[in-house]
PDB file of all heavy atoms in Angstrom:
ATOM      1  N   HIS A 456     -44.293 -15.787 155.879  1.00  0.00           N
ATOM      2  CA  HIS A 456     -44.498 -15.718 157.308  1.00  0.00           C
ATOM      3  C   HIS A 456     -45.068 -14.358 157.668  1.00  0.00           C
ATOM      4  O   HIS A 456     -44.404 -13.332 157.431  1.00  0.00           O
ATOM      5  CB  HIS A 456     -43.196 -15.986 158.055  1.00  0.00           C
ATOM      6  CG  HIS A 456     -42.596 -17.319 157.737  1.00  0.00           C
ATOM      7  ND1 HIS A 456     -43.108 -18.495 158.209  1.00  0.00           N
ATOM      8  CD2 HIS A 456     -41.541 -17.668 156.946  1.00  0.00           C
ATOM      9  CE1 HIS A 456     -42.396 -19.515 157.773  1.00  0.00           C
ATOM     10  NE2 HIS A 456     -41.460 -19.017 156.982  1.00  0.00           N
ATOM     11  N   LEU A 457     -46.252 -14.340 158.241  1.00  0.00           N
ATOM     12  CA  LEU A 457     -46.919 -13.071 158.493  1.00  0.00           C
ATOM     13  C   LEU A 457     -46.628 -12.459 159.840  1.00  0.00           C
ATOM     14  O   LEU A 457     -47.231 -11.488 160.227  1.00  0.00           O
ATOM     15  CB  LEU A 457     -48.441 -13.293 158.347  1.00  0.00           C
ATOM     16  CG  LEU A 457     -48.909 -13.669 156.933  1.00  0.00           C
ATOM     17  CD1 LEU A 457     -50.423 -13.803 156.906  1.00  0.00           C
ATOM     18  CD2 LEU A 457     -48.445 -12.616 155.941  1.00  0.00           C
ATOM     19  N   ASP A 458     -45.709 -13.064 160.595  1.00  0.00           N
ATOM     20  CA  ASP A 458     -45.344 -12.459 161.893  1.00  0.00           C
ATOM     21  C   ASP A 458     -44.308 -11.348 161.692  1.00  0.00           C
ATOM     22  O   ASP A 458     -43.881 -10.740 162.642  1.00  0.00           O
ATOM     23  CB  ASP A 458     -44.824 -13.537 162.833  1.00  0.00           C
ATOM     24  CG  ASP A 458     -43.694 -14.315 162.195  1.00  0.00           C
ATOM     25  OD1 ASP A 458     -43.430 -14.137 160.988  1.00  0.00           O
ATOM     26  OD2 ASP A 458     -43.040 -15.100 162.941  1.00  0.00           O
ATOM     27  N   THR A 459     -43.830 -11.145 160.473  1.00  0.00           N
ATOM     28  CA  THR A 459     -42.890 -10.059 160.198  1.00  0.00           C
ATOM     29  C   THR A 459     -43.488  -9.134 159.155  1.00  0.00           C
ATOM     30  O   THR A 459     -44.534  -9.375 158.595  1.00  0.00           O
ATOM     31  CB  THR A 459     -41.566 -10.658 159.664  1.00  0.00           C
ATOM     32  OG1 THR A 459     -41.850 -11.404 158.468  1.00  0.00           O
ATOM     33  CG2 THR A 459     -40.928 -11.574 160.677  1.00  0.00           C
ATOM     34  N   THR A 460     -42.758  -8.035 158.857  1.00  0.00           N
ATOM     35  CA  THR A 460     -43.217  -7.085 157.877  1.00  0.00           C
ATOM     36  C   THR A 460     -43.089  -7.676 156.489  1.00  0.00           C
ATOM     37  O   THR A 460     -42.006  -8.170 156.077  1.00  0.00           O
ATOM     38  CB  THR A 460     -42.418  -5.780 157.964  1.00  0.00           C
ATOM     39  OG1 THR A 460     -42.537  -5.255 159.264  1.00  0.00           O
ATOM     40  CG2 THR A 460     -42.917  -4.774 156.960  1.00  0.00           C
ATOM     41  N   VAL A 461     -44.174  -7.689 155.675  1.00  0.00           N
ATOM     42  CA  VAL A 461     -44.138  -8.265 154.316  1.00  0.00           C
ATOM     43  C   VAL A 461     -44.642  -7.213 153.360  1.00  0.00           C
ATOM     44  O   VAL A 461     -45.218  -6.175 153.751  1.00  0.00           O
ATOM     45  CB  VAL A 461     -45.053  -9.513 154.259  1.00  0.00           C
ATOM     46  CG1 VAL A 461     -44.557 -10.598 155.155  1.00  0.00           C
ATOM     47  CG2 VAL A 461     -46.514  -9.154 154.603  1.00  0.00           C
ATOM     48  N   SER A 462     -44.381  -7.463 152.074  1.00  0.00           N
ATOM     49  CA  SER A 462     -44.859  -6.572 151.035  1.00  0.00           C
ATOM     50  C   SER A 462     -46.337  -6.799 150.767  1.00  0.00           C
ATOM     51  O   SER A 462     -46.891  -7.867 151.094  1.00  0.00           O
ATOM     52  CB  SER A 462     -44.058  -6.765 149.744  1.00  0.00           C
ATOM     53  OG  SER A 462     -44.299  -8.051 149.228  1.00  0.00           O
ATOM     54  N   LEU A 463     -46.977  -5.832 150.146  1.00  0.00           N
ATOM     55  CA  LEU A 463     -48.384  -5.955 149.846  1.00  0.00           C
ATOM     56  C   LEU A 463     -48.646  -7.103 148.863  1.00  0.00           C
ATOM     57  O   LEU A 463     -49.618  -7.842 149.015  1.00  0.00           O
ATOM     58  CB  LEU A 463     -48.901  -4.654 149.266  1.00  0.00           C
ATOM     59  CG  LEU A 463     -50.373  -4.622 148.815  1.00  0.00           C
ATOM     60  CD1 LEU A 463     -51.288  -4.905 149.994  1.00  0.00           C
ATOM     61  CD2 LEU A 463     -50.719  -3.293 148.156  1.00  0.00           C
ATOM     62  N   GLU A 464     -47.768  -7.271 147.883  1.00  0.00           N
ATOM     63  CA  GLU A 464     -47.940  -8.368 146.909  1.00  0.00           C
ATOM     64  C   GLU A 464     -47.897  -9.740 147.582  1.00  0.00           C
ATOM     65  O   GLU A 464     -48.681 -10.630 147.274  1.00  0.00           O
ATOM     66  CB  GLU A 464     -46.859  -8.276 145.799  1.00  0.00           C
ATOM     67  CG  GLU A 464     -47.064  -7.125 144.848  1.00  0.00           C
ATOM     68  CD  GLU A 464     -46.676  -5.797 145.441  1.00  0.00           C
ATOM     69  OE1 GLU A 464     -46.094  -5.788 146.557  1.00  0.00           O
ATOM     70  OE2 GLU A 464     -46.981  -4.746 144.811  1.00  0.00           O
ATOM     71  N   GLU A 465     -46.952  -9.896 148.570  1.00  0.00           N
ATOM     72  CA  GLU A 465     -46.867 -11.189 149.265  1.00  0.00           C
ATOM     73  C   GLU A 465     -48.120 -11.458 150.079  1.00  0.00           C
ATOM     74  O   GLU A 465     -48.630 -12.568 150.155  1.00  0.00           O
ATOM     75  CB  GLU A 465     -45.636 -11.209 150.150  1.00  0.00           C
ATOM     76  CG  GLU A 465     -44.320 -11.237 149.397  1.00  0.00           C
ATOM     77  CD  GLU A 465     -43.143 -11.184 150.337  1.00  0.00           C
ATOM     78  OE1 GLU A 465     -43.222 -10.438 151.339  1.00  0.00           O
ATOM     79  OE2 GLU A 465     -42.142 -11.871 150.073  1.00  0.00           O
ATOM     80  N   TYR A 466     -48.651 -10.407 150.719  1.00  0.00           N
ATOM     81  CA  TYR A 466     -49.826 -10.586 151.539  1.00  0.00           C
ATOM     82  C   TYR A 466     -51.048 -10.924 150.702  1.00  0.00           C
ATOM     83  O   TYR A 466     -51.855 -11.808 151.045  1.00  0.00           O
ATOM     84  CB  TYR A 466     -50.094  -9.353 152.383  1.00  0.00           C
ATOM     85  CG  TYR A 466     -51.373  -9.440 153.229  1.00  0.00           C
ATOM     86  CD1 TYR A 466     -51.449 -10.401 154.223  1.00  0.00           C
ATOM     87  CD2 TYR A 466     -52.450  -8.622 152.985  1.00  0.00           C
ATOM     88  CE1 TYR A 466     -52.613 -10.533 154.984  1.00  0.00           C
ATOM     89  CE2 TYR A 466     -53.595  -8.722 153.736  1.00  0.00           C
ATOM     90  CZ  TYR A 466     -53.680  -9.682 154.739  1.00  0.00           C
ATOM     91  OH  TYR A 466     -54.804  -9.783 155.478  1.00  0.00           O
ATOM     92  N   LEU A 467     -51.218 -10.245 149.569  1.00  0.00           N
ATOM     93  CA  LEU A 467     -52.359 -10.535 148.712  1.00  0.00           C
ATOM     94  C   LEU A 467     -52.247 -11.954 148.148  1.00  0.00           C
ATOM     95  O   LEU A 467     -53.264 -12.633 147.967  1.00  0.00           O
ATOM     96  CB  LEU A 467     -52.417  -9.501 147.554  1.00  0.00           C
ATOM     97  CG  LEU A 467     -52.745  -8.083 147.975  1.00  0.00           C
ATOM     98  CD1 LEU A 467     -52.755  -7.172 146.748  1.00  0.00           C
ATOM     99  CD2 LEU A 467     -54.105  -8.034 148.674  1.00  0.00           C
TER     100      LEU A 467
END
Side-chain angles (χ1 to χ4, degrees):
H456 300 286
L457 294 182
D458 54 351
T459 59
T460 302
V461 297
S462 65
L463 177 61
E464 287 76 9
E465 291 177 322
Y466 177 64
L467 292 179

